[in-house]
Amino acid sequence: MNKKIIYCVIILFAILLQLSFLPLIIGASALGDAVLMLVLALAVIDGFTLSLSWAIVAGILYDFATYTTLGEHVIIFLLVAYVVSFFSRRLSVEVKGTGLLLLLLFIAVTTIISNWLLAIFLILGDKSIRFHMQAFGNFRLIVFQVCCNAIIFFLWYNLIGRIKKNIL
């Protein structure tokens, strides 16, 4: 099958998973971000130049699906793809030893940056500072989010790795 079709289906599945399945299992608001972790996995596996267009597509589709201002998630996903590819070209990013710690650091940093940028976008949309602090959450919530995102990331990483190995 064509790589473009497979990646489009994966992105749509991630959006569907994020908006319907994860909130059903975890609660009212899903703490894991399946689409963000998909973009992170694509950036680690494919690098910036190949994942750039997929980050844009995922961001636009995710913005449409969540009724947010067009471009919010595109900015977040492009930032994630750039930062991760910048460091993954210079450091060994494998699911072994220090590469695993580096991947966990990427997951934690992208989760925190995504939360902050979304909270900043909420403030720019005429929300109050109090709403900003509620949107970002407390320390325990962020740690739980990072753990959920780590699980989701490694599922995407393994799935995309197997797809690239067996189908593409």
Side-chain angles (χ1 to χ4, degrees):
M1 288 178 69
N2 192 358
K3 180 179 179 179
K4 292 177 184 178
I5 294 171
I6 292 173
Y7 276 11
C8 283
V9 168
I10 291 173
I11 289 171
L12 290 174
F13 178 73
I15 292 170
L16 183 66
L17 183 73
Q18 178 66 33
L19 296 177
S20 63
F21 187 69
L22 288 179
L24 182 65
I25 291 177
I26 296 174
S29 63
L31 294 176
D33 196 343
V35 184
L36 178 68
M37 292 301 110
L38 174 64
V39 171
L40 180 64
L42 288 173
V44 168
I45 292 171
D46 288 341
F48 180 69
T49 55
L50 296 176
S51 66
L52 173 69
S53 59
W54 295 113
I56 293 170
V57 168
I60 290 171
L61 291 175
Y62 196 47
D63 284 336
F64 282 146
T66 58
Y67 301 109
T68 57
T69 305
L70 188 62
E72 288 182 3
H73 288 96
V74 175
I75 292 169
I76 293 169
F77 295 164
L78 286 176
L79 183 66
V80 165
Y82 179 74
V83 169
V84 167
S85 67
F86 177 81
F87 286 108
S88 65
R89 278 184 278 148
R90 287 154 180 79
L91 304 168
S92 174
V93 180
E94 298 175 353
V95 188
K96 300 177 191 172
T98 57
L100 181 65
L101 292 175
L102 189 60
L103 286 174
L104 291 173
L105 180 66
F106 285 158
I107 293 166
V109 168
T110 57
T111 301
I112 292 169
I113 288 175
S114 173
N115 283 348
W116 272 103
L117 286 176
L118 287 173
I120 288 170
F121 292 143
L122 286 173
I123 287 175
L124 293 176
D126 295 329
K127 302 294 181 184
S128 68
I129 296 293
R130 181 173 174 226
F131 186 76
H132 161 68
M133 296 311 288
Q134 289 174 349
F136 187 70
N138 58 21
F139 181 73
R140 188 183 314 158
L141 181 67
I142 293 169
V143 170
F144 187 66
Q145 260 185 325
V146 169
C147 292
C148 290
N149 281 343
I151 293 168
I152 294 169
F153 170 79
F154 287 112
L155 290 173
W156 283 127
Y157 187 82
N158 287 332
L159 178 70
I160 293 171
R162 288 183 184 182
I163 288 172
K164 285 188 70 125
K165 181 180 174 185
N166 296 328
I167 297 174
L168 302 177

